[in-house]
Amino acid sequence: MDVFKDYLNSIEIIEHRKGMEEVLTFIHEKYPELGRRIAWNQPMFTHHETFIIGFSIAKNHMAVSPEAAGIKQFADDITKAGYDYTSMIIRIPWDRPFDYELLERMIEFNIMDKADVTTFWRK
């Protein structure tokens, strides 16, 4: 998790920092096989050098990006969880619980769906 240390320390609002750290730690512990990196000033996880999921922060929410295919695959579940989303990100308000089960399903979908992908992003 050292790779995320400077990023986390740059988050000024302590509650947001703690929330982001909790999510990143959860993924690190649940999926130790995933690579960790900061790219485009965002923490992200990879598998065989291909993007699996990334995160960013905004004033009112944490943004989660499982790529457009991940959003499309779980659109109904995202809506049921009460989250807003676009074609590329899910907005999880800081004042709402984080749906870890949905996060796990998105990560596992991307690992399986991108098993044969040799590029960072889907084509």
Side-chain angles (χ1 to χ4, degrees):
M1 287 287 292
D2 283 346
V3 70
F4 298 139
K5 185 178 179 181
D6 289 342
Y7 175 83
L8 290 168
N9 287 336
S10 74
I11 300 172
E12 294 179 9
I13 299 173
I14 292 172
E15 292 82 15
H16 297 181
R17 182 183 319 141
K18 287 179 181 178
M20 180 66 76
E21 184 172 20
E22 182 178 294
V23 170
L24 298 177
T25 300
F26 172 83
I27 297 170
H28 171 71
E29 291 175 354
K30 179 82 177 176
Y31 303 95
E33 73 276 16
L34 295 182
R36 295 165 296 283
R37 69 167 73 168
I38 298 289
W40 298 280
N41 197 32
Q42 299 176 13
M44 55 183 61
F45 291 86
T46 62
H47 192 268
H48 67 279
E49 298 301 316
T50 189
F51 177 85
I52 297 300
I53 197 158
F55 301 87
S56 62
I57 62 166
K59 179 180 178 182
N60 296 318
H61 65 269
M62 177 189 305
V64 179
S65 177
E67 281 190 283
I71 301 279
K72 185 176 179 182
Q73 178 73 21
F74 295 100
D76 290 342
D77 295 323
I78 295 165
T79 300
K80 285 177 189 171
Y83 303 145
D84 182 34
Y85 66 94
T86 69
S87 64
M88 293 300 289
I89 67 163
I90 304 162
R91 293 181 193 98
I92 302 177
W94 293 113
D95 62 354
R96 297 206 48 163
F98 195 95
D99 189 335
Y100 285 95
E101 190 244 320
L102 177 58
L103 176 65
E104 287 180 61
R105 292 189 343 210
M106 289 188 295
I107 290 170
E108 289 165 13
F109 168 77
N110 273 346
I111 291 170
M112 289 184 351
D113 191 57
K114 295 183 80 177
D116 297 325
V117 172
T118 59
T119 57
F120 192 71
W121 306 110
R122 285 179 175 90
K123 296 223 177 203

